[in-house]
Amino acid sequence: MKKLVMIGNGMAGVRSIKEILKRDPQKYEITIIGDEPHPNYNRIMLSNVLQGKTVLNEIIINDLSWYEENKITLLTGERVVTIDRTEKIIKTDKGNVVSYDELILATGSDSFILPLPGKDLEGVIGFRTIEDTEKMIEFARTKKKAVVIGGGLLGLEAAKGLIDRGMEVYVVHLLPTLMEQQLDAPAARMLKKDLEKQGMKFKMEKQTVEILGNACVDGIRFKDEEELACDLVVMAVGIRPNVSLAKESGLEVKRAIVVDDHMRTTDPSIYAVGECAEHQGIAYGLVAPLYEQGRALADQLTGIQGTGYHGTILSTQLKVAGCDLFSGGKIQEDDDTDAIVVQDAVARVYKKILVTNNKVVGIVLYGDASDGNRLFSMLKKGTDISEFTTASVLQKAGEEDDSAMLAEMPAEETVCGCNGVTKGKIVQSILEESLTSFDEVKTCTKAGASCGKCRPVVEGILALTLGDSFDAAAQQSGMCECTHMSRDEVVAEIKIKGFQSPKEVRHVLEFKNPEGCQKCRPALNYYIRMILPTYYEDDKSSRFVNERMEGNIQKDGTFSVIPRMYGGTTTADELVRMGEVAKKYDVPLVKITGASRIGLYGVKKEDLPQVWDELGMRSGYAYSKSLRNVKSCVGSQFCRFGTQDSLGLGIKMEKELEMVDTPHKMKMGVAGCPRNCSEALTKDFGVICVENGYQLYVGGNGGTEIRECDFIKIVATEAEVITYAKAYMQYYRETGIYGERTAPWVDRLGIETIKTVLVDQEQRDYYVNRFTEARETYHEAWSAMLAKNQEKKIYEVTRV
């Protein structure tokens, strides 16, 4: 068996190995060497980790078991230092010597760090790896001001993540417009304006000449002598292919490692793929072309007479800090092109299609990128657009959907750029594996498994392939790969059959995995308890670790303890107790939280029961899927603008609604006047106090995806406010998908549907009664845990 060695463990390289295994799994003895201490992960998703949308272990593409199952030797945290082309061996910095018959260079690229004075100071980093991301998250915990140099995609994603982590962020860009490689000036202006609304600040047409500070960063200086104070500088000005190893080995290197159509370098036994490779003068940085290269390389290494790689027409479909955009081909007019432009400043939508000789040659979409794949298909095929009307952005006259375009889409066209999945692969998998839902297609093919932007196209292909048997409603399952049943079908079966445990649900409904998975175990536990509150006993083992431990786990394995402080109020005795407990148990951080409470961070697991006991306060449920808090201003008690007692109402709401589980965490707010100091209009349930009563709002979100509340109605009394809040909370409990916040829930059900339920007295009374029944089954978490000696054992360790 021949020996195949790959240097690099990134997305492009490992995808090439997968393609080789697919073609001939017995041909090679494979060794992969990566300089990062991690298995293969999705670099595209690092921005989501930084923004807090996901965590690092959820972006691993292939865990260690995948390498073992495919008999691949993996060396992590190890760097190759030399390649001996004559002896066909490589040496690593840890002294390992590995021989090869065929060698793949998949060394990727590094962040380009501007060669400025001060670039080596503590607090200057790129944004390329898990390590970079962890450093940025750590800085955001203790520092306040950041500068991101570079107004491209990566820079804007870094800035958004740091803002979401609580930092003040300036983006510094050398040019007058953002993302100049993907957007023209009008689209870039719209993007900038939308990002400014999210708190991002800009310094445009600014050249940085020095990073200021002694040991650590404390600012930057521009060419015009202006200075800007900061604690962190993130370089996002581009990438540099890792070619030093190839250059030292005598391979031909220009901007990157030169390869032919079969990804061969100037040594016939050595290949290069990914960002480190240069094909016909181009080094690609997007995933789709790199995966195309991987397929060509796999054909070559397994002896298949493929067509090779012939370059890629680039397109970019992105969601930058929540803003949709698509770019492909040309973005600027010239003497040979005309432009079709549709701009709706009110709806924040901009569409420009560049045309030459009745053919699409360029696309720029902002705000609504749904036409992107359709238009890009026309660009690649050179479609004559004479028969199209431009009024609806090149939609065929009388055509109401994209089914015709999807039918004409060639099998080899890439649908999922993140994972390089073609239409042909999706259709083949649907037919051969009897797939019926987007989730099943995603699991089988990885289409939509990263950014998810291709989901509408994937569902369109599903509908086209399955015809009348396609069930659009089933696409919103909310469950998992263990069952084909939707969330609503599972809940209906629980109600009809009266299942007594999640295990019984999985057995009777024939889940593929009888033990369930990390998605359905907590979901089933929630659904049964929600449906049968007086009968079903909560199963702690099915909950996530934070809920099992009644505290949020921190990065070092310690926990946070955040007591309930109704309306953000406390007493002198409680303050004293918190101080004494913090001193006694060496709590490293005592902090006022964003929810107007005091949190103790860094409590050891074994100390949790004693800390709860000695505090003598109720749990603040800062770790749970339930009501976290009701944020309020001081209202008419003290504020000269206050119209009602918002503080008192907030405390009443918190006491009435606490502890009860919901599909996801909930936050509420009460503002004493329309000045909205408590940010009630971006809460799950918001109340604005006015002269004639209380305005009720629902479905807001102030997190990574900001959504302003929808108005329900004005009520006259505090009692009505609490009644509506209970009905709203219970309706969300009974119709929400586990893990779904109220903002997407409101969008899914429609605000008019929710409003109809709440204002109808009969339905409102029903849900209030259901809530009250459930509320009586809940007990305060910390005192309940302390009362159960058996459960206390999970915290106990041997004390010296």
Side-chain angles (χ1 to χ4, degrees), residues 98-119:
V98 183
S99 63
Y100 69 87
D101 295 300
E102 310 285 356
L103 177 65
I104 300 173
L105 300 179
T107 49
S109 61
D110 286 329
S111 296
F112 178 66
I113 303 298
L114 293 171
L116 302 174
K119 68 179 178 64

mmCIF file with all atom_site columns, all heavy atoms in Angstrom, residues 98-119:
data_model
loop_
_atom_site.group_PDB
_atom_site.id
_atom_site.type_symbol
_atom_site.label_atom_id
_atom_site.label_alt_id
_atom_site.label_comp_id
_atom_site.label_asym_id
_atom_site.label_entity_id
_atom_site.label_seq_id
_atom_site.pdbx_PDB_ins_code
_atom_site.Cartn_x
_atom_site.Cartn_y
_atom_site.Cartn_z
_atom_site.occupancy
_atom_site.B_iso_or_equiv
_atom_site.pdbx_formal_charge
_atom_site.auth_seq_id
_atom_site.auth_comp_id
_atom_site.auth_asym_id
_atom_site.auth_atom_id
_atom_site.pdbx_PDB_model_num
ATOM 1   N N   . VAL A 1 98  ? 8.783  10.964 8.620  1.00 0.00 ? 98  VAL A N   1
ATOM 2   C CA  . VAL A 1 98  ? 7.692  10.256 7.942  1.00 0.00 ? 98  VAL A CA  1
ATOM 3   C C   . VAL A 1 98  ? 8.033  10.144 6.458  1.00 0.00 ? 98  VAL A C   1
ATOM 4   O O   . VAL A 1 98  ? 8.353  11.150 5.810  1.00 0.00 ? 98  VAL A O   1
ATOM 5   C CB  . VAL A 1 98  ? 6.350  10.997 8.117  1.00 0.00 ? 98  VAL A CB  1
ATOM 6   C CG1 . VAL A 1 98  ? 5.223  10.197 7.470  1.00 0.00 ? 98  VAL A CG1 1
ATOM 7   C CG2 . VAL A 1 98  ? 6.057  11.240 9.592  1.00 0.00 ? 98  VAL A CG2 1
ATOM 8   N N   . SER A 1 99  ? 7.962  8.934  5.933  1.00 0.00 ? 99  SER A N   1
ATOM 9   C CA  . SER A 1 99  ? 8.231  8.730  4.504  1.00 0.00 ? 99  SER A CA  1
ATOM 10  C C   . SER A 1 99  ? 6.938  8.825  3.708  1.00 0.00 ? 99  SER A C   1
ATOM 11  O O   . SER A 1 99  ? 5.851  8.617  4.244  1.00 0.00 ? 99  SER A O   1
ATOM 12  C CB  . SER A 1 99  ? 8.895  7.373  4.282  1.00 0.00 ? 99  SER A CB  1
ATOM 13  O OG  . SER A 1 99  ? 8.029  6.327  4.679  1.00 0.00 ? 99  SER A OG  1
ATOM 14  N N   . TYR A 1 100 ? 7.063  9.134  2.438  1.00 0.00 ? 100 TYR A N   1
ATOM 15  C CA  . TYR A 1 100 ? 5.880  9.261  1.582  1.00 0.00 ? 100 TYR A CA  1
ATOM 16  C C   . TYR A 1 100 ? 6.174  8.760  0.172  1.00 0.00 ? 100 TYR A C   1
ATOM 17  O O   . TYR A 1 100 ? 7.325  8.741  -0.283 1.00 0.00 ? 100 TYR A O   1
ATOM 18  C CB  . TYR A 1 100 ? 5.422  10.713 1.520  1.00 0.00 ? 100 TYR A CB  1
ATOM 19  C CG  . TYR A 1 100 ? 6.358  11.663 0.781  1.00 0.00 ? 100 TYR A CG  1
ATOM 20  C CD1 . TYR A 1 100 ? 6.264  11.834 -0.602 1.00 0.00 ? 100 TYR A CD1 1
ATOM 21  C CD2 . TYR A 1 100 ? 7.332  12.397 1.470  1.00 0.00 ? 100 TYR A CD2 1
ATOM 22  C CE1 . TYR A 1 100 ? 7.118  12.704 -1.286 1.00 0.00 ? 100 TYR A CE1 1
ATOM 23  C CE2 . TYR A 1 100 ? 8.180  13.264 0.804  1.00 0.00 ? 100 TYR A CE2 1
ATOM 24  C CZ  . TYR A 1 100 ? 8.074  13.419 -0.565 1.00 0.00 ? 100 TYR A CZ  1
ATOM 25  O OH  . TYR A 1 100 ? 8.922  14.262 -1.247 1.00 0.00 ? 100 TYR A OH  1
ATOM 26  N N   . ASP A 1 101 ? 5.104  8.322  -0.481 1.00 0.00 ? 101 ASP A N   1
ATOM 27  C CA  . ASP A 1 101 ? 5.137  8.081  -1.919 1.00 0.00 ? 101 ASP A CA  1
ATOM 28  C C   . ASP A 1 101 ? 4.536  9.262  -2.658 1.00 0.00 ? 101 ASP A C   1
ATOM 29  O O   . ASP A 1 101 ? 5.034  9.678  -3.700 1.00 0.00 ? 101 ASP A O   1
ATOM 30  C CB  . ASP A 1 101 ? 4.380  6.792  -2.265 1.00 0.00 ? 101 ASP A CB  1
ATOM 31  C CG  . ASP A 1 101 ? 5.041  5.553  -1.673 1.00 0.00 ? 101 ASP A CG  1
ATOM 32  O OD1 . ASP A 1 101 ? 6.209  5.297  -2.006 1.00 0.00 ? 101 ASP A OD1 1
ATOM 33  O OD2 . ASP A 1 101 ? 4.400  4.871  -0.859 1.00 0.00 ? 101 ASP A OD2 1
ATOM 34  N N   . GLU A 1 102 ? 3.423  9.767  -2.083 1.00 0.00 ? 102 GLU A N   1
ATOM 35  C CA  . GLU A 1 102 ? 2.783  10.976 -2.621 1.00 0.00 ? 102 GLU A CA  1
ATOM 36  C C   . GLU A 1 102 ? 2.602  11.946 -1.461 1.00 0.00 ? 102 GLU A C   1
ATOM 37  O O   . GLU A 1 102 ? 2.235  11.542 -0.347 1.00 0.00 ? 102 GLU A O   1
ATOM 38  C CB  . GLU A 1 102 ? 1.420  10.657 -3.238 1.00 0.00 ? 102 GLU A CB  1
ATOM 39  C CG  . GLU A 1 102 ? 1.407  9.499  -4.226 1.00 0.00 ? 102 GLU A CG  1
ATOM 40  C CD  . GLU A 1 102 ? 2.006  9.871  -5.567 1.00 0.00 ? 102 GLU A CD  1
ATOM 41  O OE1 . GLU A 1 102 ? 2.356  11.046 -5.764 1.00 0.00 ? 102 GLU A OE1 1
ATOM 42  O OE2 . GLU A 1 102 ? 2.132  8.973  -6.422 1.00 0.00 ? 102 GLU A OE2 1
ATOM 43  N N   . LEU A 1 103 ? 2.842  13.225 -1.730 1.00 0.00 ? 103 LEU A N   1
ATOM 44  C CA  . LEU A 1 103 ? 2.770  14.233 -0.676 1.00 0.00 ? 103 LEU A CA  1
ATOM 45  C C   . LEU A 1 103 ? 1.818  15.353 -1.106 1.00 0.00 ? 103 LEU A C   1
ATOM 46  O O   . LEU A 1 103 ? 1.910  15.848 -2.234 1.00 0.00 ? 103 LEU A O   1
ATOM 47  C CB  . LEU A 1 103 ? 4.160  14.816 -0.403 1.00 0.00 ? 103 LEU A CB  1
ATOM 48  C CG  . LEU A 1 103 ? 4.262  15.945 0.632  1.00 0.00 ? 103 LEU A CG  1
ATOM 49  C CD1 . LEU A 1 103 ? 3.878  15.445 2.021  1.00 0.00 ? 103 LEU A CD1 1
ATOM 50  C CD2 . LEU A 1 103 ? 5.674  16.528 0.645  1.00 0.00 ? 103 LEU A CD2 1
ATOM 51  N N   . ILE A 1 104 ? 0.917  15.735 -0.207 1.00 0.00 ? 104 ILE A N   1
ATOM 52  C CA  . ILE A 1 104 ? -0.002 16.849 -0.465 1.00 0.00 ? 104 ILE A CA  1
ATOM 53  C C   . ILE A 1 104 ? 0.372  17.997 0.469  1.00 0.00 ? 104 ILE A C   1
ATOM 54  O O   . ILE A 1 104 ? 0.450  17.816 1.694  1.00 0.00 ? 104 ILE A O   1
ATOM 55  C CB  . ILE A 1 104 ? -1.469 16.452 -0.217 1.00 0.00 ? 104 ILE A CB  1
ATOM 56  C CG1 . ILE A 1 104 ? -1.887 15.292 -1.116 1.00 0.00 ? 104 ILE A CG1 1
ATOM 57  C CG2 . ILE A 1 104 ? -2.393 17.652 -0.451 1.00 0.00 ? 104 ILE A CG2 1
ATOM 58  C CD1 . ILE A 1 104 ? -3.275 14.747 -0.789 1.00 0.00 ? 104 ILE A CD1 1
ATOM 59  N N   . LEU A 1 105 ? 0.568  19.183 -0.105 1.00 0.00 ? 105 LEU A N   1
ATOM 60  C CA  . LEU A 1 105 ? 0.770  20.381 0.694  1.00 0.00 ? 105 LEU A CA  1
ATOM 61  C C   . LEU A 1 105 ? -0.576 21.098 0.795  1.00 0.00 ? 105 LEU A C   1
ATOM 62  O O   . LEU A 1 105 ? -1.116 21.559 -0.210 1.00 0.00 ? 105 LEU A O   1
ATOM 63  C CB  . LEU A 1 105 ? 1.812  21.298 0.050  1.00 0.00 ? 105 LEU A CB  1
ATOM 64  C CG  . LEU A 1 105 ? 3.209  20.705 -0.142 1.00 0.00 ? 105 LEU A CG  1
ATOM 65  C CD1 . LEU A 1 105 ? 4.128  21.722 -0.801 1.00 0.00 ? 105 LEU A CD1 1
ATOM 66  C CD2 . LEU A 1 105 ? 3.798  20.248 1.184  1.00 0.00 ? 105 LEU A CD2 1
ATOM 67  N N   . ALA A 1 106 ? -1.112 21.149 2.001  1.00 0.00 ? 106 ALA A N   1
ATOM 68  C CA  . ALA A 1 106 ? -2.375 21.851 2.261  1.00 0.00 ? 106 ALA A CA  1
ATOM 69  C C   . ALA A 1 106 ? -2.143 22.784 3.446  1.00 0.00 ? 106 ALA A C   1
ATOM 70  O O   . ALA A 1 106 ? -2.849 22.746 4.449  1.00 0.00 ? 106 ALA A O   1
ATOM 71  C CB  . ALA A 1 106 ? -3.497 20.858 2.542  1.00 0.00 ? 106 ALA A CB  1
ATOM 72  N N   . THR A 1 107 ? -1.114 23.593 3.311  1.00 0.00 ? 107 THR A N   1
ATOM 73  C CA  . THR A 1 107 ? -0.622 24.411 4.424  1.00 0.00 ? 107 THR A CA  1
ATOM 74  C C   . THR A 1 107 ? -1.422 25.685 4.628  1.00 0.00 ? 107 THR A C   1
ATOM 75  O O   . THR A 1 107 ? -1.160 26.442 5.576  1.00 0.00 ? 107 THR A O   1
ATOM 76  C CB  . THR A 1 107 ? 0.862  24.756 4.202  1.00 0.00 ? 107 THR A CB  1
ATOM 77  O OG1 . THR A 1 107 ? 1.046  25.268 2.872  1.00 0.00 ? 107 THR A OG1 1
ATOM 78  C CG2 . THR A 1 107 ? 1.729  23.516 4.363  1.00 0.00 ? 107 THR A CG2 1
ATOM 79  N N   . GLY A 1 108 ? -2.377 25.979 3.741  1.00 0.00 ? 108 GLY A N   1
ATOM 80  C CA  . GLY A 1 108 ? -3.278 27.100 3.956  1.00 0.00 ? 108 GLY A CA  1
ATOM 81  C C   . GLY A 1 108 ? -2.579 28.446 3.941  1.00 0.00 ? 108 GLY A C   1
ATOM 82  O O   . GLY A 1 108 ? -1.646 28.682 3.168  1.00 0.00 ? 108 GLY A O   1
ATOM 83  N N   . SER A 1 109 ? -3.021 29.326 4.815  1.00 0.00 ? 109 SER A N   1
ATOM 84  C CA  . SER A 1 109 ? -2.477 30.678 4.856  1.00 0.00 ? 109 SER A CA  1
ATOM 85  C C   . SER A 1 109 ? -2.551 31.218 6.276  1.00 0.00 ? 109 SER A C   1
ATOM 86  O O   . SER A 1 109 ? -3.205 30.649 7.142  1.00 0.00 ? 109 SER A O   1
ATOM 87  C CB  . SER A 1 109 ? -3.253 31.590 3.900  1.00 0.00 ? 109 SER A CB  1
ATOM 88  O OG  . SER A 1 109 ? -4.616 31.649 4.281  1.00 0.00 ? 109 SER A OG  1
ATOM 89  N N   . ASP A 1 110 ? -1.853 32.334 6.487  1.00 0.00 ? 110 ASP A N   1
ATOM 90  C CA  . ASP A 1 110 ? -1.865 33.021 7.778  1.00 0.00 ? 110 ASP A CA  1
ATOM 91  C C   . ASP A 1 110 ? -2.445 34.415 7.604  1.00 0.00 ? 110 ASP A C   1
ATOM 92  O O   . ASP A 1 110 ? -2.441 34.969 6.492  1.00 0.00 ? 110 ASP A O   1
ATOM 93  C CB  . ASP A 1 110 ? -0.447 33.144 8.348  1.00 0.00 ? 110 ASP A CB  1
ATOM 94  C CG  . ASP A 1 110 ? 0.083  31.824 8.874  1.00 0.00 ? 110 ASP A CG  1
ATOM 95  O OD1 . ASP A 1 110 ? -0.734 31.016 9.349  1.00 0.00 ? 110 ASP A OD1 1
ATOM 96  O OD2 . ASP A 1 110 ? 1.307  31.603 8.793  1.00 0.00 ? 110 ASP A OD2 1
ATOM 97  N N   . SER A 1 111 ? -2.907 34.979 8.708  1.00 0.00 ? 111 SER A N   1
ATOM 98  C CA  . SER A 1 111 ? -3.303 36.387 8.677  1.00 0.00 ? 111 SER A CA  1
ATOM 99  C C   . SER A 1 111 ? -2.082 37.245 8.350  1.00 0.00 ? 111 SER A C   1
ATOM 100 O O   . SER A 1 111 ? -0.990 37.014 8.877  1.00 0.00 ? 111 SER A O   1
ATOM 101 C CB  . SER A 1 111 ? -3.865 36.821 10.038 1.00 0.00 ? 111 SER A CB  1
ATOM 102 O OG  . SER A 1 111 ? -5.040 36.127 10.340 1.00 0.00 ? 111 SER A OG  1
ATOM 103 N N   . PHE A 1 112 ? -2.291 38.217 7.474  1.00 0.00 ? 112 PHE A N   1
ATOM 104 C CA  . PHE A 1 112 ? -1.213 39.143 7.153  1.00 0.00 ? 112 PHE A CA  1
ATOM 105 C C   . PHE A 1 112 ? -1.157 40.209 8.239  1.00 0.00 ? 112 PHE A C   1
ATOM 106 O O   . PHE A 1 112 ? -2.133 40.919 8.482  1.00 0.00 ? 112 PHE A O   1
ATOM 107 C CB  . PHE A 1 112 ? -1.435 39.787 5.788  1.00 0.00 ? 112 PHE A CB  1
ATOM 108 C CG  . PHE A 1 112 ? -0.374 40.783 5.411  1.00 0.00 ? 112 PHE A CG  1
ATOM 109 C CD1 . PHE A 1 112 ? 0.925  40.367 5.186  1.00 0.00 ? 112 PHE A CD1 1
ATOM 110 C CD2 . PHE A 1 112 ? -0.669 42.129 5.298  1.00 0.00 ? 112 PHE A CD2 1
ATOM 111 C CE1 . PHE A 1 112 ? 1.915  41.273 4.844  1.00 0.00 ? 112 PHE A CE1 1
ATOM 112 C CE2 . PHE A 1 112 ? 0.303  43.052 4.968  1.00 0.00 ? 112 PHE A CE2 1
ATOM 113 C CZ  . PHE A 1 112 ? 1.606  42.614 4.733  1.00 0.00 ? 112 PHE A CZ  1
ATOM 114 N N   . ILE A 1 113 ? -0.031 40.311 8.917  1.00 0.00 ? 113 ILE A N   1
ATOM 115 C CA  . ILE A 1 113 ? 0.167  41.309 9.967  1.00 0.00 ? 113 ILE A CA  1
ATOM 116 C C   . ILE A 1 113 ? 0.974  42.467 9.378  1.00 0.00 ? 113 ILE A C   1
ATOM 117 O O   . ILE A 1 113 ? 2.101  42.268 8.911  1.00 0.00 ? 113 ILE A O   1
ATOM 118 C CB  . ILE A 1 113 ? 0.903  40.718 11.190 1.00 0.00 ? 113 ILE A CB  1
ATOM 119 C CG1 . ILE A 1 113 ? 0.117  39.518 11.742 1.00 0.00 ? 113 ILE A CG1 1
ATOM 120 C CG2 . ILE A 1 113 ? 1.082  41.783 12.258 1.00 0.00 ? 113 ILE A CG2 1
ATOM 121 C CD1 . ILE A 1 113 ? -1.268 39.835 12.254 1.00 0.00 ? 113 ILE A CD1 1
ATOM 122 N N   . LEU A 1 114 ? 0.383  43.637 9.364  1.00 0.00 ? 114 LEU A N   1
ATOM 123 C CA  . LEU A 1 114 ? 1.069  44.796 8.797  1.00 0.00 ? 114 LEU A CA  1
ATOM 124 C C   . LEU A 1 114 ? 2.395  45.033 9.518  1.00 0.00 ? 114 LEU A C   1
ATOM 125 O O   . LEU A 1 114 ? 2.447  45.000 10.756 1.00 0.00 ? 114 LEU A O   1
ATOM 126 C CB  . LEU A 1 114 ? 0.185  46.045 8.922  1.00 0.00 ? 114 LEU A CB  1
ATOM 127 C CG  . LEU A 1 114 ? -1.099 46.067 8.089  1.00 0.00 ? 114 LEU A CG  1
ATOM 128 C CD1 . LEU A 1 114 ? -1.959 47.246 8.496  1.00 0.00 ? 114 LEU A CD1 1
ATOM 129 C CD2 . LEU A 1 114 ? -0.775 46.126 6.599  1.00 0.00 ? 114 LEU A CD2 1
ATOM 130 N N   . PRO A 1 115 ? 3.464  45.293 8.764  1.00 0.00 ? 115 PRO A N   1
ATOM 131 C CA  . PRO A 1 115 ? 4.783  45.491 9.383  1.00 0.00 ? 115 PRO A CA  1
ATOM 132 C C   . PRO A 1 115 ? 4.921  46.887 10.000 1.00 0.00 ? 115 PRO A C   1
ATOM 133 O O   . PRO A 1 115 ? 5.716  47.717 9.547  1.00 0.00 ? 115 PRO A O   1
ATOM 134 C CB  . PRO A 1 115 ? 5.740  45.287 8.208  1.00 0.00 ? 115 PRO A CB  1
ATOM 135 C CG  . PRO A 1 115 ? 4.960  45.726 7.011  1.00 0.00 ? 115 PRO A CG  1
ATOM 136 C CD  . PRO A 1 115 ? 3.531  45.328 7.282  1.00 0.00 ? 115 PRO A CD  1
ATOM 137 N N   . LEU A 1 116 ? 4.133  47.139 11.029 1.00 0.00 ? 116 LEU A N   1
ATOM 138 C CA  . LEU A 1 116 ? 4.110  48.454 11.658 1.00 0.00 ? 116 LEU A CA  1
ATOM 139 C C   . LEU A 1 116 ? 4.917  48.447 12.949 1.00 0.00 ? 116 LEU A C   1
ATOM 140 O O   . LEU A 1 116 ? 5.010  47.418 13.627 1.00 0.00 ? 116 LEU A O   1
ATOM 141 C CB  . LEU A 1 116 ? 2.665  48.856 11.991 1.00 0.00 ? 116 LEU A CB  1
ATOM 142 C CG  . LEU A 1 116 ? 1.657  48.906 10.846 1.00 0.00 ? 116 LEU A CG  1
ATOM 143 C CD1 . LEU A 1 116 ? 0.267  49.183 11.408 1.00 0.00 ? 116 LEU A CD1 1
ATOM 144 C CD2 . LEU A 1 116 ? 2.051  49.977 9.839  1.00 0.00 ? 116 LEU A CD2 1
ATOM 145 N N   . PRO A 1 117 ? 5.459  49.584 13.331 1.00 0.00 ? 117 PRO A N   1
ATOM 146 C CA  . PRO A 1 117 ? 6.047  49.684 14.676 1.00 0.00 ? 117 PRO A CA  1
ATOM 147 C C   . PRO A 1 117 ? 4.987  49.344 15.720 1.00 0.00 ? 117 PRO A C   1
ATOM 148 O O   . PRO A 1 117 ? 3.871  49.845 15.666 1.00 0.00 ? 117 PRO A O   1
ATOM 149 C CB  . PRO A 1 117 ? 6.460  51.164 14.770 1.00 0.00 ? 117 PRO A CB  1
ATOM 150 C CG  . PRO A 1 117 ? 6.603  51.624 13.351 1.00 0.00 ? 117 PRO A CG  1
ATOM 151 C CD  . PRO A 1 117 ? 5.588  50.855 12.570 1.00 0.00 ? 117 PRO A CD  1
ATOM 152 N N   . GLY A 1 118 ? 5.325  48.442 16.637 1.00 0.00 ? 118 GLY A N   1
ATOM 153 C CA  . GLY A 1 118 ? 4.389  48.033 17.670 1.00 0.00 ? 118 GLY A CA  1
ATOM 154 C C   . GLY A 1 118 ? 3.603  46.778 17.341 1.00 0.00 ? 118 GLY A C   1
ATOM 155 O O   . GLY A 1 118 ? 2.768  46.342 18.135 1.00 0.00 ? 118 GLY A O   1
ATOM 156 N N   . LYS A 1 119 ? 3.868  46.153 16.191 1.00 0.00 ? 119 LYS A N   1
ATOM 157 C CA  . LYS A 1 119 ? 3.075  44.981 15.785 1.00 0.00 ? 119 LYS A CA  1
ATOM 158 C C   . LYS A 1 119 ? 3.272  43.787 16.714 1.00 0.00 ? 119 LYS A C   1
ATOM 159 O O   . LYS A 1 119 ? 2.440  42.860 16.723 1.00 0.00 ? 119 LYS A O   1
ATOM 160 C CB  . LYS A 1 119 ? 3.424  44.576 14.355 1.00 0.00 ? 119 LYS A CB  1
ATOM 161 C CG  . LYS A 1 119 ? 4.831  44.021 14.163 1.00 0.00 ? 119 LYS A CG  1
ATOM 162 C CD  . LYS A 1 119 ? 5.089  43.627 12.721 1.00 0.00 ? 119 LYS A CD  1
ATOM 163 C CE  . LYS A 1 119 ? 6.507  43.114 12.519 1.00 0.00 ? 119 LYS A CE  1
ATOM 164 N NZ  . LYS A 1 119 ? 6.768  41.877 13.263 1.00 0.00 ? 119 LYS A NZ  1
#
